[in-house]
Amino acid sequence: MTTRKRTDAVPKVPDEFHVFGFARDLLAWYDEQKRDLPWRINRDPYRVWVSEIMLQQTRVETVKPYFENFMRKFPTVEALADAPEEEVLKAWEGLGYYSRARNLQAAAREVKETYGGVVPDTPEEISKLKGIGPYTAGAILSIAYEKPEPAVDGNVMRVFSRLLLMHDDIAKPATRIKMEQLIRQVIPQGRAGDFNQALMELGALVCLPRNPQCLTCPVFDYCLARREGVQEELPVKGKAKPPRPVSYLVAVIKREDAYLITKRPEQGLLAGMWEFPMVETEQVEWAEDILPDALQQRYGLDVSVEQPLLQIRHTFSHLQWHLHVHLCAYRGGSGQLPATARFVSGNQLADYAFSVAHGKIIQYLSQAAFTL
Ligand code: SF4
């Protein structure tokens, strides 16, 4: 029988790291230097929540206009809960990772029904809402409710790996838990929200992934990695698997001034988004045979491939799409289209939510000789 090592002891912040001075200097810098961002004008839990969901995997500058538009359209939990899903996806169009929008709306409905429209303020309740993981829960609880909860994302792990000279692999889930335990020991009383935001701000502006700006860093004196001169070697990050390439033929089928679009399934990648019909295949050079057969089987449509239009590469976290887009002519059709497919005139396309990759096809069509 193998003997298991005990791993459940709470790690301690090293004695040589001066917790009090660090928090004081970090907050003083934040008070002076923090960026003016639209979600920082107040601490409304709903606004904090929406901003944190939008900021996942997405740059601040990209999020700003989306956030302001989203708040104009859905200013309260109730407004978001009651909105048609299509409108929510449309407001999210171009931000990517659309399951975030669907989960946000599902959670808003839960908040409306179960909590009377008030975002819950306990870790237990808030963590049960769809799309709210440990980081987002910590961010909302600390920023909106001043609860001493850590909010640990990739940026914060990078900063803390350097500050505390940690060589743990930040790609491992256990490291995030360890970081949370350590950060709990550093959060100053009464300023949890500012402290978490200050750490994020430090990661975004100073303690950059490459070339950390140590000479202008407000916590230079406390940083253990900098003291050893190894800040550029941290954090340790195991290699993630590269995204798997998948090839598709895409059919832009034109019937008079209308194009065929289809809705993706309600679950999975880009759930509920609209797109031009796609056929997965490795044999993209056989478009003239493969597309008419597949479109006949799927929609009962008789089409011919007219010409290749463009190629698009789009990378998700786990997949890389290679889209080979072809213009097809409509020659006839038998029977009814399924409910998830329809012909839509060129100027109505803007009413539907498309993924970024298919948005590029629309952009191409509008700029090319094909009039929308
Ligand atoms: Fe990051 Fe350098 Fe500041 Fe340390 S001193 S926290 S490595 S910027």
Side-chain angles (χ1 to χ4, degrees), residues 159 162-163 202 206-207 212-214 217 219-220 223 226 231:
V159 174
R162 290 170 176 169
L163 284 167
L202 189 71
V206 182
C207 195
Q213 307 291 299
C214 301
C217 178
V219 291
F220 175 95
C223 180
R226 198 275 312 154
Q231 63 274 20

Side-chain angles (χ1 to χ4, degrees), residues 229-297:
V230 294
Q231 63 274 20
E232 309 248 3
E233 291 157 34
L234 293 172
V236 173
K237 191 173 178 192
K239 278 224 161 61
K241 272 202 217 155
R244 181 170 60 86
V246 197
S247 297
Y248 288 95
L249 290 169
V250 182
V252 173
I253 306 169
K254 196 165 183 204
R255 188 180 74 184
E256 294 168 7
D257 76 333
Y259 296 92
L260 184 72
I261 59 171
T262 72
K263 195 175 192 196
R264 293 181 67 86
E266 294 300 321
Q267 303 290 331
L269 182 70
L270 302 172
M273 305 292 288
W274 290 84
E275 64 189 18
F276 297 94
M278 307 218 295
V279 178
E280 183 181 340
T281 177
E282 285 302 308
Q283 290 158 323
V284 291
E285 66 280 17
W286 295 105
E288 285 172 19
D289 295 325
I290 292 173
L291 278 177
D293 279 0
L295 296 165
Q296 178 60 247
Q297 272 180 30

Side-chain angles (χ1 to χ4, degrees), residues 18-231:
H18 297 288
V19 171
F20 177 77
F22 164 73
R24 181 198 57 208
D25 290 3
L26 179 67
L27 283 168
W29 169 79
Y30 178 70
D31 290 340
E32 283 275 307
Q33 303 287 335
K34 69 178 167 201
R35 288 171 292 176
D36 218 3
L37 300 174
W39 44 91
R40 286 189 179 154
I41 58 171
N42 63 33
R43 295 190 169 211
D44 173 4
Y46 171 64
R47 289 174 68 88
V48 174
W49 177 17
V50 172
S51 69
E52 288 298 338
I53 299 292
M54 284 189 170
L55 286 164
Q56 289 168 9
Q57 323 281 343
T58 314
R59 293 160 51 85
V60 165
E61 289 308 315
T62 308
V63 167
K64 277 185 189 171
Y66 279 93
F67 177 79
E68 291 185 300
N69 179 46
F70 201 87
M71 281 299 142
R72 267 194 300 278
K73 284 205 157 90
F74 316 111
T76 60
V77 170
E78 285 80 4
L80 178 58
D82 296 342
E85 184 187 276
E86 198 66 42
E87 261 179 44
V88 177
L89 288 175
K90 188 72 197 157
W92 207 272
E93 190 183 58
L95 258 187
Y97 301 96
Y98 296 91
S99 58
R100 294 182 298 174
R102 296 164 66 88
N103 288 339
L104 180 62
Q105 190 180 33
R109 289 178 174 155
E110 170 89 17
V111 170
K112 181 185 168 195
E113 277 153 32
T114 312
Y115 303 104
V118 179
V119 180
D121 67 352
T122 66
E124 297 72 28
E125 288 171 327
I126 205 165
S127 305
K128 284 196 199 124
L129 296 174
K130 252 189 155 177
I132 297 196
Y135 164 79
T136 311
I140 300 170
L141 291 171
S142 62
I143 299 169
Y145 293 118
E146 211 46 80
K147 304 265 174 169
E149 291 291 327
V152 177
D153 67 355
N155 281 320
V156 169
M157 286 207 273
R158 177 179 69 253
V159 174
F160 251 74
S161 293
R162 290 170 176 169
L163 284 167
L164 299 189
L165 191 56
M166 291 172 64
H167 289 87
D168 303 67
D169 180 353
I170 63 165
K172 291 190 173 156
T175 304
R176 188 182 53 74
I177 292 169
K178 184 173 176 184
M179 293 273 183
E180 285 175 355
Q181 291 169 325
L182 291 165
I183 291 172
R184 271 179 207 287
Q185 298 164 41
V186 185
I187 295 177
Q189 262 208 333
R191 293 205 66 186
D194 282 345
F195 178 79
N196 280 337
Q197 291 187 91
L199 275 183
M200 296 171 201
E201 201 83 336
L202 189 71
L205 302 179
V206 182
C207 195
L208 306 172
R210 283 186 208 108
N211 299 326
Q213 307 291 299
C214 301
L215 291 179
T216 55
C217 178
V219 291
F220 175 95
D221 289 340
Y222 307 93
C223 180
L224 303 182
R226 198 275 312 154
R227 218 177 272 177
E228 301 284 322
V230 294
Q231 63 274 20

